[in-house]
Amino acid sequence: MTRTSTAYVIPRRRSIAALALTLLLGGCMSDDGVNDPLPRMSREKAEKWAKHWTDSMVGTAHARLDPKTARPTASFTDCTGEKGETADDGRFTLRYSVRGTLPRTAHAGAVTAIKDTLKDKGFDIQTFVVGEDTEPANVVDAKHPKDQQFVSVGSVDKDLLVFIVSTPCLLPPGVEQQKF
């Protein structure tokens, strides 16, 4: 099994989905203040943006979107604040995922290529594991330090990779941000 250099902390994860959910729920919390301005984007634009990101990662991996296995999913949820608060202003998060087919022997190279591309784009690599005999096998999780989007790619089956994009808390255009 190959792991990244010691500069990265490589936590053991039971599930890519568990990490994605944790980061997704934390996406509405602000380090600077509860009423900091949220980024604005419509649900439609957010879904197109997430699809673009997953398509780009699928391309980098040289995977194939097979209609029988791709199953793109877009899940919109209300933002939840640090103290469990929710707003009535329409703010949301999006978790978008798709599965791509690629022979298992190519998963490590695909995940490594995606990790390198994300790092070049300024993402912080949070998890990076390659190796067929580990669990999770072949995973990269990354978060952009400024924009707060989260991306994850990992082996989920013999010849399947899952590509996940999660947005931070977004506010629809044209609405006033509720204050707490």
Side-chain angles (χ1 to χ4, degrees), residues 103-147:
R104 183 64 175 239
T105 56
H107 285 198
V111 167
T112 301
I114 291 168
K115 185 235 349 149
D116 293 344
T117 300
L118 292 170
K119 192 173 176 187
D120 289 346
K121 292 186 179 295
F123 280 74
D124 291 332
I125 306 302
Q126 297 178 324
T127 306
F128 177 63
V129 179
V130 294
E132 292 187 39
D133 297 329
T134 61
E135 190 55 46
N138 307 307
V139 175
V140 63
D141 298 320
K143 188 172 185 180
H144 196 277
K146 180 179 178 245
D147 300 331

Side-chain angles (χ1 to χ4, degrees), residues 43-62:
R43 287 178 180 237
E44 296 78 21
K45 187 173 179 183
E47 189 169 351
K48 284 180 185 178
W49 174 85
K51 182 183 182 317
H52 168 78
W53 266 98
T54 56
D55 287 349
S56 177
M57 290 189 294
V58 168
T60 299
H62 301 291

